[in-house]
Amino acid sequence: MQTTEAPRPAERSWWLEEALMLPEFLTPEAPALHGDTSAEVVVLGGGYTGMWTAWFLKERRPELDVVLLEADICGGGPSGRNGGFCDGWWEKIRDVREVYGDDDAMELLMTCGRSPTEIGTWCRANGIDAWFRHGGDLAVATNPTHEGGWEGSLEAARALGVEDEYQVLSPDDVQKRCASPRFGGGVLIADAATVHPARLARGLRRRLIEEGVRIFEHTSVTRLGMGKTVAAETPSGTVRATEAVIGLGAWATWWKAFRPRLTLRGSYMVVTEPAPERIDELGWTGGEAIRDLRSSIHYGRTTPDGRIALGLGGLQPDLARRIDHRYDYEARYARRVANDLYRMFPSFEGVPIEAAWGGPINVSGFTMPFFGTVGKGNVHFGLGFTGNGVGPSHLGGKILASLALHAEDGFGRLAVVGRTPKRFPPEPFRSPGAFVVNAAIRRKDDREDEGRRVGRLTRAIARLPRRLGYKLGPR
Ligand SMILES: Cc1cc2nc3c(=O)[nH]c(=O)nc-3n(C[C@H](O)[C@H](O)[C@H](O)COP(=O)(O)OP(=O)(O)OC[C@H]3O[C@@H](n4cnc5c(N)ncnc54)[C@H](O)[C@@H]3O)c2cc1C
């Protein structure tokens, strides 16, 4: 079935619409800031990174006075809009090894590998029903060029002695887990989960308020004054604090210091109406998070009431110079993802798409986030999750809490701290260049999925980022 009508735009995301109908995710109130105040730590951004940081700060120092400032509502950005794939870094093992070397790579993989389980434990301990399900992460081939595409990861895993984390599945094995006619063989990472992203974000928000964190929503920081005391200025007041933590995700691209190291992409999702009997027919009952092996990936998962939510990454609504409404919703991409869903799961024909939405992705040149400290040693940041932040932002919160407390523990010394990714080229080359390269990557992926030949020029442009030393795009 081909959809020509664009699906309904969700209010931020279908996940947030669902969560905010429930009082436990709507309340308590978090007013906008009016007037000046002070705190020991001010956190900028109410996504997972900012909120996990506030959580770990209070866990370690319950008496600490923490203020969190969020321009929209907590979870209103990608943290409440994402696919809910909750992984460590196992999927990136090859790049992680190349960037950090074997010893640091192992430490990072093992440390972040604990986050999915710990998030599930946190939800249970805090009474947050975020639909946490430990169903694994399944990467599947959707065309012959993908088959065996996991070999590089397996080789890296063997070199590090962690090959048990991966299970290669034959096409028959994959069909038993999800009978899409488009799926070939695949590889399963068992230690991965799915969550309801907005329930997790809003649940975190509720628990933070209960623990005494002062959260101000609809409060946009317009300037951060650096010095022995930092001053987070907003149109309606200033927060002065000893330490500041920046968890602004894609919005950090407006910051001059970070702009060279971050670039923007869009990711867009749709969700169907419930059709639990068709999920049963597909045999997709194990809760697997399924993605294909394209560079501009499709990622899909089910919900407890029998929906499919599918997303497509690597899209760009414009030259990506700023974040505007096109990152929330773009009709042509909503249609595209809806059609991809029906192609991937033809048995869902006739099941309407309930809603569509999108969000900005902050991309770092080495595909991993980076953490560090600027100013007078009291402004800390965690950025560049590159479309993989649900699990890693939990570790990010521990790292940033350690940095803000100047704690001499292992988190502040992990190899993701203090290592900055390669700069992206400056404007005016950067935005048009990224646009052309992303279009070539998508074209290559699409043509391979359609069984068509990929031209040499397209292939060469798609591989340009890797040739220039970035860990982005196809090898
Ligand atoms: C459609 C989509 C699907 C995705 N799917 C997945 C997935 O399945 N698995 C996965 O691991 N990752 C996924 N991601 C990425 C993941 O959502 C992010 O990596 C993660 O949410 C980053 O969290 P964060 O807290 O760093 O940033 P954000 O969630 O972006 O939070 C930053 C916050 O800062 C606020 N802010 C901005 N400017 C200001 C300001 N001036 N003052 C105050 N506040 C401000 C924003 O409103 C926002 O709430 C997806 C992203 C998108 C968009």
Side-chain angles (χ1 to χ4, degrees), residues 5-162:
E5 267 179 44
R8 170 182 77 82
E11 176 76 18
R12 298 193 184 87
S13 72
W14 177 81
W15 306 114
L16 273 157
E17 288 178 351
E18 197 278 342
L20 294 178
M21 282 193 297
L22 304 168
E24 67 261 42
F25 298 115
L26 185 62
T27 58
E29 289 284 304
L33 180 70
H34 286 294
D36 297 345
T37 187
S38 60
E40 287 171 284
V41 183
V42 60
V43 177
L44 278 56
Y48 298 137
T49 302
M51 289 196 287
W52 280 124
T53 302
W55 178 264
F56 289 115
L57 284 170
K58 291 297 271 188
E59 189 179 75
R60 292 180 205 176
R61 292 261 309 274
E63 75 292 354
L64 200 73
D65 186 10
V66 180
V67 163
L68 186 149
L69 302 172
E70 164 54 48
D72 182 24
I73 60 168
C74 289
S79 294
R81 302 181 189 199
N82 62 74
F85 282 43
C86 183
D87 315 289
W89 284 320
W90 296 116
E91 178 228 325
K92 300 187 179 199
I93 188 166
R94 198 170 167 189
D95 286 329
V96 175
R97 190 169 171 236
E98 285 172 11
V99 172
Y100 304 100
D102 286 3
D103 291 347
D104 285 338
M106 262 309 273
E107 186 176 34
L108 291 172
L109 291 162
M110 299 305 285
T111 313
C112 195
R114 287 198 282 276
S115 280
T117 301
E118 288 184 13
I119 289 171
T121 307
W122 182 89
C123 289
R124 274 191 302 281
N126 289 278
I128 305 300
D129 178 10
W131 296 359
F132 181 87
R133 190 156 181 205
H134 220 137
D137 174 295
L138 174 58
V140 293
T142 49
N143 69 60
T145 69
H146 290 167
E147 291 290 350
W150 42 83
E151 267 311 317
S153 296
L154 292 183
E155 207 180 296
R158 279 191 287 272
L160 295 178
V162 290

Side-chain angles (χ1 to χ4, degrees), residues 336-357:
R336 156 87 207 245
V337 185
N339 286 325
D340 288 355
L341 188 147
Y342 292 126
R343 248 195 307 277
M344 201 172 268
F345 306 106
S347 60
F348 261 64
E349 192 161 316
V351 179
I353 301 292
E354 177 148 339
W357 65 94

